[in-house]
Amino acid sequence: MIYNYSIQLLLALVVGALIGLEREINGKVAGFRTMALICVGSTILTIISIQIGGETSKDRIAANILTGIGFIGAGVVFKDGLNVTGITTAATIWVTAALGMCIGCDNYLLATLGMILTLIVLFLFDNLLNLITRQREHRSYSVYFKKENISQSIYNKVAELGLKCQKKIVTKDDDRIHLSINVFGSKEKIDEFNHFLLEQDGVKSFNSFL
């Protein structure tokens, strides 16, 4: 019995620590120690629930683990204006507790597979998301110039670089022409477009923002 408990708690510690390591590396509020404790705690509560519940209600305590974990997860979610942060960490806490419950039920295979998938999501999906984002950046431009034909040169350059262009608005302000456009494409192509604007003598100034 003691040997089995030791294996379960040790495995829970390893699983929680590995998941928490990624959160710690990225400087999140719930890191290495927090995830390890959540996984170990979920394992202990699941074991106790099985023992107390007997054959009829083994889930009497375990059923409330996720409810308690929900309070912890809510504590790492922050809202600043329209921006919400901490959702991934909250989801990671929830998954870590579920893995601890798997270990407490002696379902080591499910716990191991769940840990592997969680680590893949945390470590690899972030890089994949960055790669996708780099291929699909969005910039809004306000370009000021004097010659009418400059706008056509800008459109031609956008097409040449394979960028997508939307919201072409041209207005005249005193002796200047103001062009507002939204451009979509890879970071490298948008950088080339910026260099193009800088090299144009007819372009008096331009602003670029996300």
Side-chain angles (χ1 to χ4, degrees):
M1 186 68 72
I2 295 178
Y3 175 78
N4 189 48
Y5 290 160
S6 299
I7 295 297
Q8 288 176 303
L9 295 179
L10 182 60
L11 180 58
L13 181 64
V14 171
V15 169
L18 287 176
I19 294 174
L21 181 62
E22 187 276 339
R23 297 285 85 188
E24 193 75 39
I25 291 173
N26 287 288
K28 304 303 179 181
V29 290
F32 188 77
R33 293 179 298 176
T34 303
M35 294 300 178
L37 289 172
I38 287 172
C39 198
V40 170
S42 298
T43 300
I44 293 173
L45 289 173
T46 302
I47 293 171
I48 294 173
S49 180
I50 293 172
Q51 291 178 348
I52 293 177
E55 295 298 324
T56 56
S57 56
K58 294 181 179 181
D59 61 344
R60 59 186 300 177
I61 295 177
N64 295 299
I65 293 176
L66 294 182
T67 302
I69 287 299
F71 286 102
I72 299 177
V76 299
V77 177
F78 300 96
K79 187 175 185 297
D80 183 13
L82 297 177
N83 297 320
V84 179
T85 60
I87 294 179
T88 300
T89 300
T92 305
I93 289 173
W94 180 68
V95 171
T96 303
L99 295 177
M101 294 175 70
C102 289
I103 297 170
C105 292
D106 290 327
N107 198 336
Y108 303 132
L109 177 60
L110 183 58
T112 302
L113 292 176
M115 179 193 69
I116 292 172
L117 290 176
T118 302
L119 292 175
I120 288 174
V121 171
L122 292 176
F123 279 101
L124 299 184
F125 278 30
D126 191 41
N127 294 329
L128 179 61
L129 180 61
N130 289 336
L131 179 62
I132 294 173
T133 303
R134 285 176 62 86
Q135 298 300 319
R136 191 61 179 171
E137 282 204 359
H138 164 248
R139 295 288 179 87
S140 296
Y141 286 87
S142 290
V143 187
Y144 297 89
F145 48 89
K146 287 188 176 182
K147 297 179 181 179
E148 293 279 358
N149 61 346
I150 292 294
S151 59
Q152 189 58 50
S153 298
I154 292 174
Y155 297 150
N156 292 339
K157 188 63 178 180
V158 168
E160 177 188 330
L161 292 173
L163 297 168
K164 301 295 182 181
C165 181
Q166 295 179 354
K167 194 183 176 182
K168 302 173 184 178
I169 300 176
V170 180
T171 58
K172 291 187 177 181
D173 179 18
D174 297 331
D175 61 340
R176 299 184 306 172
I177 298 173
H178 176 208
L179 171 65
S180 297
I181 57 173
N182 290 337
V183 175
F184 301 85
S186 68
K187 184 179 184 301
E188 291 75 15
K189 296 297 184 181
I190 287 179
D191 287 341
E192 287 186 44
F193 182 62
N194 289 337
H195 288 304
F196 166 78
L197 292 177
L198 289 171
E199 293 171 356
Q200 297 304 301
D201 294 332
V203 175
K204 299 303 179 182
S205 64
F206 75 91
N207 297 317
S208 170
F209 48 92
L210 298 175

